[in-house]
Amino acid sequence: MGTRALFHHREEEQKEERKHSLEMSSRTRKKRFKTSSREYNLRREADILELEQRGQKRVCFGNDMEKMEEEVMRICRLLRVRADRRALRRKALEHACLEKELLELLSGRAPMFWIPLRAHAVWESMDVTLACTTLGSPVPQATWYKNGIPIDLRRAPAGKYKMGNRFGMLTLHISRCSMEDSAEYSVEVKNQYGEAYSFATVLVRKYYGKESGFDSEIYKRELLQDSDRQELRLQGREASLTVPCAHKEDEGFYSIRVPSLQGDKEQTTYVFVRDAAAATAGAPGSPLNVKCHDVNRDCLILSWVPPSDDGGSPILGYLIERCEAGSEQWLQCSAQPVKSCRCPVLGLAEGQTYQFRVRAVNKAGTSHPSKASDPVTTHDPSRDKRVTVIPYDQGRSIEISKDDLEGDIKIPLPPTNVHASEVREDYVALAWDEPDPRGREPLNYYVEKSLVGSNSWQMVNLDLPANSPRFALFGLAKGKSFRFRVRSVNKFGISEPSVPSPPVTAGAKLAPPPPPSQVLAFRDTKTSVVVQWDKPKDGLEPLGYYIYCRETGTEEWQTVNNKPVTCQQFTVPGLQPGKEYVFCVKSVSEAGLSESSPETDPIVVRPAIACPSAPRGFVLLHCGKTEMTIGWKAPKHKGGTKILGYFLDQHDHSEPDWHEVNTQPIPRRVCTVSSLQEGHLYEFRARAMNRAGVGPVSEPSDLFRCEEWTMPEPGPPHDVRCSEVRDSSLRLHWEAPLYLGAGPVTGYFLELCEEGSEDWKQINKQPIGSTHMKVSELDPGKCYIFRVRAQNKAGVGPPSLPSDPVVPKTKPGTKEIELGVDEEGFIYMAFEAPEKNEDSEFIWSKDYEGPPDPDRVQIEEKGNRSKLILKEPSEKDLGVYSVEVTDVDDDISASCTLTKEDLDKLLKRSHEIRNPLIKLISGWNIDVLDKGEVKLWLQVEKLSPNAELHLIFNDKELTSTPTHKINFVREKGLVELIIQDFCADDKGVYTAQLKDGKAKNQFPLVLLDESFAKVAEEAEAKRRQWKKKQGPHFIENLTWKVLESCEVLLSCKVTKADEGLYKAVVSDNRGEDSTQLELTKGALSATPLKIQPTEEGIKIYTHVKYYTDYMKTTWYHKDKQLQSRDRMRAGSTMNQIWLHILEPREDDKGKYTLELFDGNSSHKLSTDLAGQVFEDALAEHKRLKEAAIAEKRRARVVQGLPDVATIMEDKTLCLTCCVSGDPYPEISWFKNDKVIVFKDRYKMDVKGSMVTITIEKVCNEDTGKYSIYVKNKYGSETGQVTISVYKHGDIPVATEQEIPAGVTTKKAK
């Protein structure tokens, strides 16, 4: 059927063609005859008229007629040819249309949008064009809509809309947009196979221009105006916005827009308003967005938003305060905190203006007050409905109140429609309609309540009648239902009660909202991240969301926004480049904040990967007869990743089409294009490609003529760029020209000019031979551009393409190369680049001539940090080292000059680290002890447990023996040698050799000649004295004294506790006499028994002047002999005899007796441990026991910290101490008496009793006094250490203790 229909269609076409041909030939002939006769008649009439005018008669010759007829026939043939051509063209066109329709019928396709519409935001009075691209067969028909209504050009203002459809590209042009043009626009495309739609929103913003001066605008969602709350300044080329007293309500994105001839320029920043420091530690942040609703004569509804920071404990409620206009006295509205973020306020005066503010309360305290609400005046909201205004007489009016027409109403009618407008956990808000008619007199209302099921009614506001048809009841019983009714009252009386309301039950406690779900974080810029989330699945619509972030490796969450955001996407600004963060989100409602959403995956702050921008700055570097070498500049924006290559196109100016130069990307920015035609003009364009794809095409280059260069001067240098941009200086780099001319390049001249100027100034008077140069003495406030010319023996060549504009000013956060010595003693140079992306590389060079010699240096990279280590430092390594980061949009580079002086300091420091010396605190000391022993000792810095000691005496190593005892206390760094019998054999040289890891040292002591003799003499004297005191001896020598009776008294004093025979002898030349005393009776010197409570029990004891083994002691309790056992322990010392009762009980009361036998007789001492004596002793024992337990269990620093310590910059400080206590104590660290917040470089680790604080990369700011404070319920204790940080190459003070990085410090007891 299809084939037959096709043949039939072709037969019909042939018939139509034949018919059309016949009609065309007939029409042509007819037209030819008419044309020739008419022309002949006209000429004949013209000739006759001319003869008549002359009065002569002329005859027309045959040759004239023949010429005229030939001309006529030529014209006819020409006309016929033209007509045939038109007929053939029309026939071909119709045939082509038929074939096109046939193809479309055979390949029909429903319409689709290849490029859909996109949203636009424009300023008022500007034009906007909406465009999209469609595909479909046959070509679809398009219909435009505005807010769902078709756009009719006939009804729209003239020229308002212009619609276009060209080759599938649909456009809608809207001229001079007004606020009414803000709408949703859509386009419908339809053909016989289907239809498609595309939508876009056009937002028109109102623009307020300036009368004169700087034309700019600052807006936050809407245009900001100068006011008391904010001050706008526009001066010269600067614009500023000042908010004198900022609140959290002022937080948000602020933008400044500057219109210009090239389009609007806009900059946006996010202003974060932080909560003021709480007056009480742990108190919450202040609420915000306090607003008034449903304002009546004496009441209103107040709402607010909870704060983002609860201070670490849940918010218990909110306190409402009010202030009357003109007063600064704030009064509390509620006695108890309200639990939700919405509450009625009663008891207001009609016509009075109020402001309100709110405070949040938790267990730690009360927050700062919120920003005061906007002033609000209480009024009767129904007044406008009851007053009729009649205008008259050009602006005058008459007000007629409905109350004045109801003067006959005396006793008021009851209110109607009593119902609960709001039901909350804390309150129930009632509302009703005023009686109609209400009367002239003012009305008040009394509210009554009744428990459902009861017939008794109770008036609830007898003391405070309501002036408005609104009332709130607080504290209704939970779980019970009530009904309410209202009575109206005026000066004439009270109305009947209204119809009771439906049953009302106090609302259940508002549940916190559920947290958002599907929280995701995406890379945005080098300092921001985009966070997205989904709405909570259940519950009411949240008031907004709070976002929180935390740097990976820390535990402290930071608040991102103190003002809730209502959208489901937020760009988190102000993050540290290269750092890793996680994020979470909380929902906000009247009930408070939700739980935290699940954390996002960790994300590193880096720019999002995108296609690169277009290349720029095309320049001709070399030209032959049929080839050109083209160079260009890299894209300004590389898309956050490495440029993989470029695609170059060429265009012959004499041809319409562009042609590809390469099908594979070119890695370099220089390309030689061959197979060109000499003398032709060519232009070029390029695209850049990275991992995200191929970027947009560049603008075409200038036209370059393909003519072989024969000039003797060199060609232009290329790739002129700036690096190491600092205040007043920078370094310029360029590449040598590709065309050398008549000879090699002998030097370069540099030129500069200010941006916008054409006044080029030469920088160097003499040519320089290198392709780099440092430019100094620049003005940091100006913008410069540079270019370079090459010179050879023939002269100076053309200038290079100018560099990008640059301002010689150090950018904030610029990093420099760090020069120092690491922990292992290697000299290094390090550079950190937080803005580095994943594909960036660190390129090191020496003296700008290429990479350093790999045999002399080693390069290590870790994250955003690169480290160059000198393997064997020497003078060969002196020079300028520079580093540059590739594949970033902004220049990241630095340089460092290693001089001989620097190298010497670093080598010295390296030697100290590789060969460290154990520091001496106190040199050799010699002490002679009481027994005549000689102690030799010295003290060094604290040593590790693995430290070793070798004590050498006269080339022989000593070991610890009873006569030569060696003590080595590593924790204190103490070395002791105690010599029992110091004699001549101990004369010589003592050397203490210490080794602790890599650190070592030795300390000699010479004991010879006079120094030895002096020590030996002192030791011998003290040894004799000690031996003397071991037996009976005189404490005071014999003395004499003449008494009043003229008698001579001889006296001496002996040791009091020495038993023995004492003898006195008197003699002269006449003879002698003697007397003696045998001292054996010590029991007579015993004191009465005493009772002493102790922490173990009760102690009964007596003092004696001396006690010896032959004296026997026996203890009795209630005349029963006691034996020393577990609870009863008897004992004695030289001066005391005691009985210790452990864990005393009631059966321990009674009389205790001590029997002493001195060898001759017995003596008894007794005491009664009973009654109040026992009770007092038992109570004191318990107190001492509890005190001992508390002292044993109290928090303390068992092994503390050194007093003073020093450490070199950029090392890691690790301080360790041991703590004890039961229960385990709370631990806090302080720096200069301020609590240390453990984040970033500060970390604390607790493992059992070991507490360690680690400070990474210490700097000068870390110098100060550090202390650890431990506390439990039994007590507290503090340990302190002073840390001093010195720079690389500096020598620390000798009296301080240096802490190598990573060494744990421990304090000796």
Side-chain angles (χ1 to χ4, degrees), residues 820-827 902-916 919 1206-1209 1211 1286-1292 1298-1301:
V821 182
D822 61 16
E823 299 173 3
E824 298 180 359
F826 288 104
I827 298 175
D902 295 333
L903 183 61
D904 292 342
K905 290 182 180 180
L906 294 172
L907 288 174
K908 179 181 178 182
R909 184 61 188 151
S910 175
H911 180 76
E912 292 174 355
I913 294 177
R914 293 183 176 182
N915 303 281
K919 294 184 179 180
T1206 63
I1207 186 170
M1208 187 171 64
E1209 275 187 336
K1211 288 193 175 183
Y1286 64 89
K1287 296 183 178 180
H1288 298 277
D1290 293 348
I1291 299 177
E1298 184 181 359
I1299 304 176

Side-chain angles (χ1 to χ4, degrees), residues 283-287 307 315-319 358-362 365-369:
S286 59
I315 293 179
L316 304 177
Y318 301 90
L319 296 176
V358 184
R359 298 175 184 263
V361 181
N362 67 1
T366 305
S367 72
H368 290 290

Side-chain angles (χ1 to χ4, degrees), residues 396-459:
R396 298 184 180 183
S397 62
I398 299 176
E399 292 186 359
I400 300 177
S401 175
K402 187 178 178 181
D403 298 345
D404 297 335
L405 304 178
E406 299 172 354
D408 55 334
I409 301 297
K410 301 299 182 183
I411 302 298
L413 298 175
T416 58
N417 190 25
V418 179
H419 63 282
S421 59
E422 290 186 18
V423 179
R424 295 286 191 275
E425 178 189 7
D426 298 342
Y427 67 90
V428 172
L430 299 177
W432 57 87
D433 296 337
E434 293 183 332
D436 189 16
R438 55 167 286 173
R440 181 183 300 172
E441 301 300 330
L443 290 180
N444 298 111
Y445 303 94
Y446 288 105
V447 180
E448 300 175 351
K449 72 174 181 179
S450 173
L451 190 64
V452 172
S454 172
N455 293 326
S456 62
W457 291 87
Q458 178 185 358
M459 188 171 293

Side-chain angles (χ1 to χ4, degrees), residues 177-198:
C177 292
S178 61
M179 301 303 293
E180 290 75 18
D181 291 322
S182 294
E184 182 187 71
Y185 291 84
S186 61
V187 60
E188 177 194 37
V189 290
K190 182 189 297 184
N191 64 11
Q192 63 193 48
Y193 294 100
E195 58 187 17
Y197 299 86
S198 182

Side-chain angles (χ1 to χ4, degrees), residues 308-422:
S308 61
D309 181 17
D310 59 6
S313 59
I315 293 179
L316 304 177
Y318 301 90
L319 296 176
I320 303 173
E321 299 176 350
R322 73 169 185 243
C323 174
E324 297 182 1
S327 171
E328 296 183 357
Q329 182 179 5
W330 290 89
L331 304 176
Q332 188 168 312
C333 298
S334 55
Q336 298 295 327
V338 296
K339 297 182 180 180
S340 64
C341 296
R342 187 179 178 91
C343 181
V345 180
L346 308 178
L348 304 179
E350 183 176 2
Q352 183 65 48
T353 301
Y354 294 93
Q355 283 184 291
F356 298 88
R357 68 184 189 187
V358 184
R359 298 175 184 263
V361 181
N362 67 1
K363 68 178 183 180
T366 305
S367 72
H368 290 290
S370 67
K371 176 188 175 183
S373 67
D374 294 335
V376 61
T377 303
T378 55
H379 64 281
D380 183 3
S382 63
R383 180 182 180 278
D384 294 339
K385 298 180 181 179
R386 300 196 310 272
V387 175
T388 302
V389 179
I390 303 175
Y392 80 100
D393 192 16
Q394 298 180 355
R396 298 184 180 183
S397 62
I398 299 176
E399 292 186 359
I400 300 177
S401 175
K402 187 178 178 181
D403 298 345
D404 297 335
L405 304 178
E406 299 172 354
D408 55 334
I409 301 297
K410 301 299 182 183
I411 302 298
L413 298 175
T416 58
N417 190 25
V418 179
H419 63 282
S421 59
E422 290 186 18

Side-chain angles (χ1 to χ4, degrees), residues 20-36 72-87 90:
H20 179 72
S21 178
L22 291 173
E23 289 177 355
M24 287 296 299
S25 62
S26 176
R27 194 178 303 118
T28 303
R29 296 190 192 100
K30 187 176 180 181
K31 186 175 182 180
R32 182 188 63 185
F33 292 134
K34 285 183 178 180
T35 303
S36 59
V72 171
M73 292 177 67
R74 188 186 66 80
I75 294 174
C76 289
R77 283 195 301 271
L78 181 61
L79 291 174
R80 185 168 59 251
V81 170
R82 290 180 179 177
D84 290 339
R85 286 180 179 176
R86 291 178 181 175
R90 187 180 300 109

Side-chain angles (χ1 to χ4, degrees), residues 247-280:
H247 295 274
K248 291 192 285 189
E249 288 81 354
D250 298 315
E251 182 177 304
F253 282 97
Y254 287 78
S255 300
I256 179 170
R257 187 187 295 269
V258 181
S260 66
L261 296 176
Q262 292 77 25
D264 293 340
K265 306 294 183 182
E266 182 176 314
Q267 290 289 334
T268 300
T269 186
Y270 186 82
V271 177
F272 174 72
V273 181
R274 192 180 304 276
D275 268 309
T280 304

Side-chain angles (χ1 to χ4, degrees), residues 741-1008:
V745 175
T746 58
Y748 298 92
F749 289 98
L750 277 66
E751 299 176 349
L752 67 79
C753 77
E754 296 182 18
E755 185 182 19
S757 171
E758 294 296 333
D759 184 15
W760 290 92
K761 299 178 181 178
Q762 188 168 306
I763 300 176
N764 55 320
K765 296 181 180 180
Q766 297 297 327
I768 62 172
S770 62
T771 57
H772 60 86
M773 177 179 175
K774 184 174 182 179
V775 183
S776 305
E777 298 181 0
L778 300 175
D779 189 346
K782 295 182 179 180
C783 184
Y784 297 93
I785 55 178
F786 300 87
R787 69 184 186 186
V788 184
R789 294 175 183 266
Q791 181 189 35
N792 63 7
K793 63 181 181 179
V796 179
S800 66
L801 199 68
S803 68
D804 291 335
V806 60
V807 178
K809 188 174 182 180
T810 304
K811 294 182 179 179
T814 299
K815 302 288 186 179
E816 300 293 348
I817 293 178
E818 172 191 338
L819 181 62
V821 182
D822 61 16
E823 299 173 3
E824 298 180 359
F826 288 104
I827 298 175
Y828 71 89
M829 301 176 197
F831 185 70
E832 186 175 3
E835 299 84 357
K836 171 182 176 291
N837 60 50
E838 297 173 354
D839 296 328
S840 297
E841 297 179 358
F842 292 94
I843 305 298
W844 287 89
S845 66
K846 182 182 178 185
D847 297 328
Y848 302 98
E849 295 177 356
D853 185 357
D855 295 333
R856 303 199 60 80
V857 300
Q858 177 183 350
I859 298 177
E860 299 176 353
E861 288 190 16
K862 184 178 180 180
N864 298 329
R865 181 181 174 89
S866 179
K867 186 175 180 181
L868 184 145
I869 301 174
L870 301 180
K871 295 181 179 180
E872 297 179 359
S874 66
E875 293 188 4
K876 295 180 180 180
D877 297 311
L878 301 180
V880 179
Y881 291 83
S882 62
V883 63
E884 188 172 356
V885 180
T886 65
D887 302 307
V888 290
D889 294 338
D890 298 327
D891 170 65
I892 303 177
S893 58
S895 64
C896 174
T897 302
L898 181 62
T899 63
K900 182 67 169 60
E901 182 181 358
D902 295 333
L903 183 61
D904 292 342
K905 290 182 180 180
L906 294 172
L907 288 174
K908 179 181 178 182
R909 184 61 188 151
S910 175
H911 180 76
E912 292 174 355
I913 294 177
R914 293 183 176 182
N915 303 281
L917 293 177
I918 297 175
K919 294 184 179 180
L920 180 67
I921 296 177
S922 178
W924 281 107
N925 294 271
I926 303 174
D927 295 337
V928 180
L929 305 182
D930 293 338
K931 295 182 180 181
E933 300 169 330
V934 175
K935 182 172 75 171
L936 311 178
W937 65 276
L938 63 83
Q939 188 175 13
V940 297
E941 61 180 326
K942 183 186 300 182
L943 302 175
S944 69
N946 298 323
E948 299 177 3
L949 168 67
H950 298 279
L951 194 58
I952 309 299
F953 173 63
N954 293 338
D955 299 329
K956 181 180 179 181
E957 184 174 356
L958 296 179
T959 58
S960 184
T961 63
T963 59
H964 291 73
K965 185 177 181 181
I966 300 174
N967 294 326
F968 184 27
V969 185
R970 293 173 175 82
E971 294 179 353
K972 294 183 178 180
L974 189 63
V975 177
E976 293 181 344
L977 172 63
I978 301 176
I979 303 174
Q980 192 76 27
D981 295 319
F982 193 76
C983 60
D985 294 338
D986 299 313
K987 182 189 299 184
V989 179
Y990 296 82
T991 304
Q993 296 178 351
L994 294 170
K995 183 179 180 181
D996 189 4
K998 293 182 179 180
K1000 57 186 178 179
N1001 211 337
Q1002 64 179 15
F1003 308 98
L1005 171 65
V1006 179
L1007 278 180
L1008 296 171

